Amino acid sequence: MVLLRCRNLPTCSLNHQLIHYFHSLSSSSSLSIHQHPQNDLLRCNSRIRELLRNRRVGEARNMFDEMAQRNSITWNSMITGYFRNGQVEEAKLLFDSFAGKNIRTWTTMVSGYTNNGKLEEARRVFNLMPERNVVSWNAMINGYAKYGDLKSARILFDGMPERDTKSWNTMITGYSHCGLLREARELFEQMQNKDIVSWLVMISGYVRSNDHVEAWNMFSKMHHGGVRPEQSIFVVTLSAITGLNSQTLIKMLQTVAIKTNFERDVKVGTAIMNAYTKTGKLELALDFFKTMSQRNEFTWTTIIGALSKSGRLEDAIAMYNQAPEKNVPTQTALLTAFAQHGKIHEARRIFEEIKNPNEITWNAMVTGYAQSGMLEEAGMIFQSMPVRNIESWATMISGLSQKGQSEEALNLLAELHRSGMVPNHSTFTSSLYACGNIDSLEVGRQIHTLTVKTGCQFNSYVGNALILMYSKCRKMEDVHQVFNTMRVKDIVSWNTMVSVLSHNGKLVDARTAFEKMPQRDIVSWTAMMSGYAQARLGYLAFGLFLDMFASGVNPDQSSLTALLSTCADLGVAKHGKQIHALVFKLGLDFGISIGNALIFMYFKCGCEDGFQVFDEMPDRDVVSWNSIIDGSAENGFGMKAVELFEQMKSEGTRPDQISFVCILCACSHAGFIDKGWAYFNSMNRDYGIMPLEPHYACMVDLLGRAGHLYSAEDFIENMPIEPDSIVWKALLGACRIHQNVELGRRVAEKLFQLEPHNSGIYILLSNIYASLGMWKEVGEVRTLMRDRGVRKEPGFSWIQIKHITSYFVNGDKTHDRAEEIFSTLREFVERLKEYGYVPNTHFVLHDIEEEQKENALLYHSEKLAISYGILNTPDGSSIQIMKNLRICGDCHTFTKLLSKFTEREIIIRDNKRFHHFRDGSCSCGDYWRMPILLEGNKVKQLLMNLDVAEVNQMQNTLTVRKE
């Protein structure tokens, strides 16, 4: 067809006239064809649009260049096609060369730029437009709204010479997508002519913001106002009902669908069925499925998927067998079901049976392998794909990053970029996650730049990933910059920011962000509470929990786990037991995470209830075993810890590195030298676990406590890894126990080089000197501390009674009942002295007279706290004391005798472990004590001197004092 072959555009018109003239001289059939060149133009324009829809941009441009005649539709179609395929510069060049631009051409440029994230270029074109219509204004407003620049959008909206319904809907949509439902609702109420899209936007906005009640109210208002619902309204409203978890509302909407003749609509029917499945009413969904008069592929795949997700794989298979067609969608649904249940080989069998798998099928297979941890197989499927879409790349990159293969994930992103395909939001999110995992700041910045070039930087998922990446790379300035420039901040964005600030110790900034949140969910409250818990600000965490409860937000497993951690830190078992009860009251799943948190909490509070929680757990993981073993060790149940470790192995749970730290600590505290060596040697031999610094430190502690100081030193010297300060401090502590000055001085010198500002090192060395009366050396150490600006942490103890915490320091007379506390304590000491108790003044680390030493011992903070506890609790009840430093040997002996004398259990948690004092003995077995403590038989003799009559007399005296 010669008419389409002219390449010389300037002479095209003349050639066309000559050709037309000569053809007019020929047959009448030829005349009938070329009398109407407009028909050829219409066909060419249609063909160009078809080619562009199929992404065959090059062929479309060739045809465009060969056309002898073009109109504005031709030019506008080609410009639009370039924009839709991401070829922005080509669109601009074509626009600049088009002399016959009309208002639609200018509007096409505005829309094209905004759709590609280039708002500045779009605004420049908009400002240059010789004339504008409402479509032009809507295009620019839509661009601003789409990327969250609602301020600019609103300025344009307010300045429009005229508005149509689309103008209002565009602004409402922008506000809705940014979670600004109040502003969206205000505009919605001002609209004079609302259409079905207006209602759809508002209902969808409330659903996205999880305000399902208001979404349902909006639907009810629409329905009662006489607006007939459409298919899309039914579908989104069913999402709101799903959030409300209301079977009644599903049935009500089902009735509305019947009245409006949508009961036979397959999409509405499938949405109703899907609502039943998502609200846990699978049987009702199955019943509804049976009554559906029409079903499509999505109906069958939905019910198969629902059965699979509910753990009913066999029923899913049976449903698949009932499907009238075993087509690609249903086969893909069954393939996915097998993969979800770990039956990857069955999934592969289905995959190989599919003759022409589509991209969804290929992607499902890649996802199945990735979720099963079989990344090599996933990669092979990925490489075999005849055609990969962006979801294929995103699935593979996500699988690699989630399984810790971050470098491989980033290499795949680079390959994707080289292929010319534009990454999507999911790809960027996974890649930024990978950067954060390996602290790859430079690559993260490059990806950030790429998100800007592709217009994805304003996407909330990408923004949240950028915040996480920069926080993991410890670039808090970039964190703030990303958050402040985000145009769309959804609730996830705010939660991410609060969490990042909390975990980085920026609690004031985190609380400020928390208070500014337009809305909060359980994740918001939990992030803030977790921050307080990690910073050991338990009282603030509990205060926030009460505020959350008062606002109508019920806690979930994560929030309760954070609170249990706070209880453990504060040692408040009473609060922990209340949370334990709340788990059952709220009907929460007593899963592994809650069980592990309860075990940890109870043992950190010195309660043996942790054993009962462990026994009642339906499922346990290695963390459960580690928690119970560590709790046993910390509370002085060394043999129980060994028994549990052996039980863990016999039940098939493989110990990890933490398991061996726990059992080695238990052996160290209990003095099980042979068992400790056996466990240490089995780590690499039996489990392929290479010992790390904590394991070596436990072994040094084990040898040192047993008095094998030089063996411990040789052990350190022969370590295959460089010993850190923890290892050397374990040996220095042993030198302090066994008063070895020579070795202690040598070890301290090493530690001074590693941690010159650690006060604990100076104190341990000073205590070694003081215990041997080397007061000159004590003075030298204290002078060294002053010169280096090292300050000793003051010792204090505290006790909580009826939700009130009382703190005591040595010799503290500031308490309201100080006189009564001191009097009671003196009386205890005097009565115990009558039966042989002698204050051990070796624990006074100052060069003072013996009488002064005895007075200094008398008013130690733990003794004051114990006396206060006895005065303010019922006779015979147990009391618990917390201390920030180690309990001294004299206080340990005093408390053992007092537990017998007062017939009470006294629990003291110092900075190392728990001491459970009962009937004159301690759970620690005195293994940690110094040799100069009272010998065991002497303590027993003192206990024998305390007869029942004396105990009863003391109890009567305390009763009178309380009254």
Side-chain angles (χ1 to χ4, degrees), residues 15 17 212 214 296 310 318 324 366 371 387 507 599 602 665 678 784 860 914 944:
N15 289 342
Q17 294 175 20
H212 301 113
E214 196 57 40
N296 60 10
S310 298
V366 173
Q371 290 177 345
V387 178
L507 291 177
I599 293 171
Y602 276 125
C665 283
L784 185 61
H860 272 189
F914 275 94
M944 290 174 62

PDB file of all heavy atoms in Angstrom, residues 15 17 212 214 296 310 318 324 366 371 387 507 599 602 665 678 784 860 914 944:
ATOM      1  N   ASN A  15       2.989  14.119  -2.906  1.00  0.00           N
ATOM      2  CA  ASN A  15       3.012  12.738  -3.387  1.00  0.00           C
ATOM      3  C   ASN A  15       1.640  12.106  -3.276  1.00  0.00           C
ATOM      4  O   ASN A  15       1.193  11.374  -4.158  1.00  0.00           O
ATOM      5  CB  ASN A  15       4.016  11.906  -2.598  1.00  0.00           C
ATOM      6  CG  ASN A  15       5.454  12.281  -2.940  1.00  0.00           C
ATOM      7  OD1 ASN A  15       5.684  12.900  -3.983  1.00  0.00           O
ATOM      8  ND2 ASN A  15       6.390  11.908  -2.074  1.00  0.00           N
ATOM      9  N   GLN A  17      -1.223  13.556  -3.395  1.00  0.00           N
ATOM     10  CA  GLN A  17      -2.129  14.081  -4.422  1.00  0.00           C
ATOM     11  C   GLN A  17      -1.873  13.445  -5.788  1.00  0.00           C
ATOM     12  O   GLN A  17      -2.800  13.092  -6.519  1.00  0.00           O
ATOM     13  CB  GLN A  17      -1.978  15.598  -4.530  1.00  0.00           C
ATOM     14  CG  GLN A  17      -2.431  16.342  -3.273  1.00  0.00           C
ATOM     15  CD  GLN A  17      -2.164  17.822  -3.371  1.00  0.00           C
ATOM     16  OE1 GLN A  17      -1.989  18.356  -4.461  1.00  0.00           O
ATOM     17  NE2 GLN A  17      -2.127  18.486  -2.220  1.00  0.00           N
ATOM     18  N   HIS A 212     -13.406  -0.206  60.506  1.00  0.00           N
ATOM     19  CA  HIS A 212     -14.423  -1.003  59.833  1.00  0.00           C
ATOM     20  C   HIS A 212     -15.834  -0.595  60.257  1.00  0.00           C
ATOM     21  O   HIS A 212     -16.781  -0.744  59.476  1.00  0.00           O
ATOM     22  CB  HIS A 212     -14.178  -2.480  60.108  1.00  0.00           C
ATOM     23  CG  HIS A 212     -12.844  -2.949  59.643  1.00  0.00           C
ATOM     24  ND1 HIS A 212     -11.845  -3.355  60.508  1.00  0.00           N
ATOM     25  CD2 HIS A 212     -12.307  -3.038  58.402  1.00  0.00           C
ATOM     26  CE1 HIS A 212     -10.772  -3.699  59.817  1.00  0.00           C
ATOM     27  NE2 HIS A 212     -11.026  -3.516  58.542  1.00  0.00           N
ATOM     28  N   GLU A 214     -16.905   2.515  60.844  1.00  0.00           N
ATOM     29  CA  GLU A 214     -17.304   3.675  60.055  1.00  0.00           C
ATOM     30  C   GLU A 214     -17.516   3.290  58.590  1.00  0.00           C
ATOM     31  O   GLU A 214     -18.358   3.877  57.897  1.00  0.00           O
ATOM     32  CB  GLU A 214     -16.248   4.779  60.177  1.00  0.00           C
ATOM     33  CG  GLU A 214     -16.725   6.147  59.725  1.00  0.00           C
ATOM     34  CD  GLU A 214     -17.968   6.606  60.470  1.00  0.00           C
ATOM     35  OE1 GLU A 214     -18.048   6.380  61.695  1.00  0.00           O
ATOM     36  OE2 GLU A 214     -18.875   7.167  59.811  1.00  0.00           O
ATOM     37  N   ASN A 296     -16.850 -19.052  39.016  1.00  0.00           N
ATOM     38  CA  ASN A 296     -15.791 -18.881  38.027  1.00  0.00           C
ATOM     39  C   ASN A 296     -14.486 -19.443  38.580  1.00  0.00           C
ATOM     40  O   ASN A 296     -14.452 -20.043  39.653  1.00  0.00           O
ATOM     41  CB  ASN A 296     -15.649 -17.416  37.615  1.00  0.00           C
ATOM     42  CG  ASN A 296     -15.296 -16.519  38.798  1.00  0.00           C
ATOM     43  OD1 ASN A 296     -14.970 -16.990  39.888  1.00  0.00           O
ATOM     44  ND2 ASN A 296     -15.367 -15.217  38.582  1.00  0.00           N
ATOM     45  N   SER A 310      -6.651 -23.232  56.207  1.00  0.00           N
ATOM     46  CA  SER A 310      -7.240 -23.718  57.461  1.00  0.00           C
ATOM     47  C   SER A 310      -6.649 -25.057  57.880  1.00  0.00           C
ATOM     48  O   SER A 310      -7.118 -25.664  58.844  1.00  0.00           O
ATOM     49  CB  SER A 310      -8.759 -23.852  57.309  1.00  0.00           C
ATOM     50  OG  SER A 310      -9.346 -22.600  57.044  1.00  0.00           O
ATOM     51  N   ALA A 318      -9.824 -32.593  47.615  1.00  0.00           N
ATOM     52  CA  ALA A 318     -11.146 -33.076  47.209  1.00  0.00           C
ATOM     53  C   ALA A 318     -11.921 -31.993  46.453  1.00  0.00           C
ATOM     54  O   ALA A 318     -12.601 -32.280  45.460  1.00  0.00           O
ATOM     55  CB  ALA A 318     -11.935 -33.530  48.445  1.00  0.00           C
ATOM     56  N   PRO A 324     -15.124 -28.334  37.776  1.00  0.00           N
ATOM     57  CA  PRO A 324     -15.520 -28.812  36.435  1.00  0.00           C
ATOM     58  C   PRO A 324     -14.368 -28.778  35.439  1.00  0.00           C
ATOM     59  O   PRO A 324     -14.318 -29.579  34.515  1.00  0.00           O
ATOM     60  CB  PRO A 324     -16.641 -27.844  36.034  1.00  0.00           C
ATOM     61  CG  PRO A 324     -16.424 -26.619  36.873  1.00  0.00           C
ATOM     62  CD  PRO A 324     -15.848 -27.109  38.158  1.00  0.00           C
ATOM     63  N   VAL A 366       8.136 -20.762  42.336  1.00  0.00           N
ATOM     64  CA  VAL A 366       9.309 -20.082  42.903  1.00  0.00           C
ATOM     65  C   VAL A 366       9.055 -19.770  44.386  1.00  0.00           C
ATOM     66  O   VAL A 366       9.909 -20.009  45.246  1.00  0.00           O
ATOM     67  CB  VAL A 366       9.622 -18.787  42.132  1.00  0.00           C
ATOM     68  CG1 VAL A 366      10.726 -17.995  42.833  1.00  0.00           C
ATOM     69  CG2 VAL A 366      10.041 -19.107  40.706  1.00  0.00           C
ATOM     70  N   GLN A 371       9.815 -20.455  50.193  1.00  0.00           N
ATOM     71  CA  GLN A 371       9.249 -20.603  51.535  1.00  0.00           C
ATOM     72  C   GLN A 371       9.712 -21.878  52.217  1.00  0.00           C
ATOM     73  O   GLN A 371       9.737 -21.955  53.444  1.00  0.00           O
ATOM     74  CB  GLN A 371       7.719 -20.571  51.460  1.00  0.00           C
ATOM     75  CG  GLN A 371       7.153 -19.199  51.115  1.00  0.00           C
ATOM     76  CD  GLN A 371       5.652 -19.206  50.963  1.00  0.00           C
ATOM     77  OE1 GLN A 371       5.027 -20.256  50.835  1.00  0.00           O
ATOM     78  NE2 GLN A 371       5.049 -18.025  50.970  1.00  0.00           N
ATOM     79  N   VAL A 387       9.106 -16.419  30.397  1.00  0.00           N
ATOM     80  CA  VAL A 387       8.888 -14.977  30.516  1.00  0.00           C
ATOM     81  C   VAL A 387       8.800 -14.640  31.995  1.00  0.00           C
ATOM     82  O   VAL A 387       8.062 -15.279  32.746  1.00  0.00           O
ATOM     83  CB  VAL A 387       7.580 -14.536  29.813  1.00  0.00           C
ATOM     84  CG1 VAL A 387       7.373 -13.032  29.998  1.00  0.00           C
ATOM     85  CG2 VAL A 387       7.616 -14.881  28.328  1.00  0.00           C
ATOM     86  N   LEU A 507      13.879   7.738  73.095  1.00  0.00           N
ATOM     87  CA  LEU A 507      12.542   7.534  73.637  1.00  0.00           C
ATOM     88  C   LEU A 507      11.711   8.811  73.652  1.00  0.00           C
ATOM     89  O   LEU A 507      10.491   8.758  73.465  1.00  0.00           O
ATOM     90  CB  LEU A 507      12.637   6.945  75.047  1.00  0.00           C
ATOM     91  CG  LEU A 507      13.150   5.507  75.105  1.00  0.00           C
ATOM     92  CD1 LEU A 507      13.289   5.044  76.546  1.00  0.00           C
ATOM     93  CD2 LEU A 507      12.218   4.583  74.350  1.00  0.00           C
ATOM     94  N   ILE A 599       7.873 -18.086  81.308  1.00  0.00           N
ATOM     95  CA  ILE A 599       8.975 -18.810  81.970  1.00  0.00           C
ATOM     96  C   ILE A 599      10.074 -17.832  82.364  1.00  0.00           C
ATOM     97  O   ILE A 599      10.565 -17.838  83.507  1.00  0.00           O
ATOM     98  CB  ILE A 599       9.537 -19.904  81.039  1.00  0.00           C
ATOM     99  CG1 ILE A 599       8.498 -21.002  80.810  1.00  0.00           C
ATOM    100  CG2 ILE A 599      10.816 -20.507  81.623  1.00  0.00           C
ATOM    101  CD1 ILE A 599       8.893 -22.002  79.739  1.00  0.00           C
ATOM    102  N   TYR A 602       8.833 -15.503  85.298  1.00  0.00           N
ATOM    103  CA  TYR A 602       8.726 -16.139  86.619  1.00  0.00           C
ATOM    104  C   TYR A 602      10.103 -16.389  87.229  1.00  0.00           C
ATOM    105  O   TYR A 602      10.339 -16.121  88.421  1.00  0.00           O
ATOM    106  CB  TYR A 602       7.944 -17.447  86.511  1.00  0.00           C
ATOM    107  CG  TYR A 602       6.446 -17.255  86.553  1.00  0.00           C
ATOM    108  CD1 TYR A 602       5.625 -17.737  85.550  1.00  0.00           C
ATOM    109  CD2 TYR A 602       5.843 -16.580  87.609  1.00  0.00           C
ATOM    110  CE1 TYR A 602       4.244 -17.560  85.587  1.00  0.00           C
ATOM    111  CE2 TYR A 602       4.472 -16.379  87.661  1.00  0.00           C
ATOM    112  CZ  TYR A 602       3.676 -16.878  86.641  1.00  0.00           C
ATOM    113  OH  TYR A 602       2.320 -16.693  86.696  1.00  0.00           O
ATOM    114  N   CYS A 665      26.753 -22.321  82.617  1.00  0.00           N
ATOM    115  CA  CYS A 665      26.529 -21.444  83.773  1.00  0.00           C
ATOM    116  C   CYS A 665      25.978 -22.238  84.955  1.00  0.00           C
ATOM    117  O   CYS A 665      26.363 -22.010  86.099  1.00  0.00           O
ATOM    118  CB  CYS A 665      25.556 -20.329  83.404  1.00  0.00           C
ATOM    119  SG  CYS A 665      26.287 -19.016  82.420  1.00  0.00           S
ATOM    120  N   ALA A 678      32.578 -31.978  80.302  1.00  0.00           N
ATOM    121  CA  ALA A 678      31.944 -32.891  79.346  1.00  0.00           C
ATOM    122  C   ALA A 678      31.054 -32.133  78.360  1.00  0.00           C
ATOM    123  O   ALA A 678      31.084 -32.389  77.146  1.00  0.00           O
ATOM    124  CB  ALA A 678      31.129 -33.946  80.101  1.00  0.00           C
ATOM    125  N   LEU A 784      43.664   5.910  91.491  1.00  0.00           N
ATOM    126  CA  LEU A 784      43.673   5.653  90.048  1.00  0.00           C
ATOM    127  C   LEU A 784      42.282   5.872  89.449  1.00  0.00           C
ATOM    128  O   LEU A 784      42.133   6.436  88.362  1.00  0.00           O
ATOM    129  CB  LEU A 784      44.148   4.231  89.781  1.00  0.00           C
ATOM    130  CG  LEU A 784      44.342   3.825  88.311  1.00  0.00           C
ATOM    131  CD1 LEU A 784      45.405   4.700  87.654  1.00  0.00           C
ATOM    132  CD2 LEU A 784      44.732   2.346  88.212  1.00  0.00           C
ATOM    133  N   HIS A 860      23.766  -2.557 106.039  1.00  0.00           N
ATOM    134  CA  HIS A 860      23.799  -2.787 104.600  1.00  0.00           C
ATOM    135  C   HIS A 860      22.381  -2.696 104.032  1.00  0.00           C
ATOM    136  O   HIS A 860      21.402  -3.046 104.708  1.00  0.00           O
ATOM    137  CB  HIS A 860      24.400  -4.155 104.286  1.00  0.00           C
ATOM    138  CG  HIS A 860      25.896  -4.127 104.153  1.00  0.00           C
ATOM    139  ND1 HIS A 860      26.623  -5.198 103.694  1.00  0.00           N
ATOM    140  CD2 HIS A 860      26.804  -3.145 104.425  1.00  0.00           C
ATOM    141  CE1 HIS A 860      27.902  -4.885 103.682  1.00  0.00           C
ATOM    142  NE2 HIS A 860      28.037  -3.642 104.125  1.00  0.00           N
ATOM    143  N   PHE A 914      19.694 -15.514  91.825  1.00  0.00           N
ATOM    144  CA  PHE A 914      18.729 -15.515  92.912  1.00  0.00           C
ATOM    145  C   PHE A 914      19.255 -16.345  94.074  1.00  0.00           C
ATOM    146  O   PHE A 914      19.926 -17.355  93.889  1.00  0.00           O
ATOM    147  CB  PHE A 914      17.393 -16.118  92.459  1.00  0.00           C
ATOM    148  CG  PHE A 914      16.493 -15.135  91.784  1.00  0.00           C
ATOM    149  CD1 PHE A 914      16.495 -15.010  90.412  1.00  0.00           C
ATOM    150  CD2 PHE A 914      15.651 -14.332  92.530  1.00  0.00           C
ATOM    151  CE1 PHE A 914      15.668 -14.104  89.787  1.00  0.00           C
ATOM    152  CE2 PHE A 914      14.818 -13.416  91.908  1.00  0.00           C
ATOM    153  CZ  PHE A 914      14.829 -13.301  90.537  1.00  0.00           C
ATOM    154  N   MET A 944      20.809 -24.834 115.044  1.00  0.00           N
ATOM    155  CA  MET A 944      20.316 -25.757 116.077  1.00  0.00           C
ATOM    156  C   MET A 944      20.056 -25.019 117.387  1.00  0.00           C
ATOM    157  O   MET A 944      19.172 -25.392 118.166  1.00  0.00           O
ATOM    158  CB  MET A 944      21.335 -26.883 116.308  1.00  0.00           C
ATOM    159  CG  MET A 944      21.435 -27.861 115.130  1.00  0.00           C
ATOM    160  SD  MET A 944      22.761 -29.061 115.369  1.00  0.00           S
ATOM    161  CE  MET A 944      22.181 -29.880 116.868  1.00  0.00           C
TER     162      MET A 944
END
